[in-house]
Amino acid sequence: GYDVPMERDAIKKEVDPYFVDTSVLTPEELAEFEKVTGVNKQLFFNDVDDEHDMAVFKRAVIDILIKQRENKK
């Protein structure tokens, strides 16, 4: 640990609170994710750019897709 800088602030990365990690999805799940979120953005969000609500929705869709994958096993 002596080769690590003492100043932790220099190491910190800014985290985007609206970032949604889709890397956990398979290519097929990612295609389904894009389709579902695109359609629902138009239907429920009326194309209003509400980053917080959309991020919450996207995370919920990812959770559902992962649960579906696990149930298929």
Side-chain angles (χ1 to χ4, degrees), residues 2 5 8-10 12 16 19 21 24-25 33 40 42 52 58 62-63 65 68 70 73:
Y2 292 112
R8 295 284 180 199
D9 291 341
K12 282 185 183 177
D16 179 3
F19 174 75
D21 183 15
V24 296
L25 299 175
F33 170 83
N40 282 291
Q42 292 174 355
H52 174 265
K58 287 179 176 182
I62 289 172
D63 289 343
L65 290 169
Q68 287 178 341
E70 290 170 355
K73 290 182 182 181

Side-chain angles (χ1 to χ4, degrees), residues 4-12:
V4 177
M6 293 293 292
E7 300 168 10
R8 295 284 180 199
D9 291 341
I11 298 172
K12 282 185 183 177

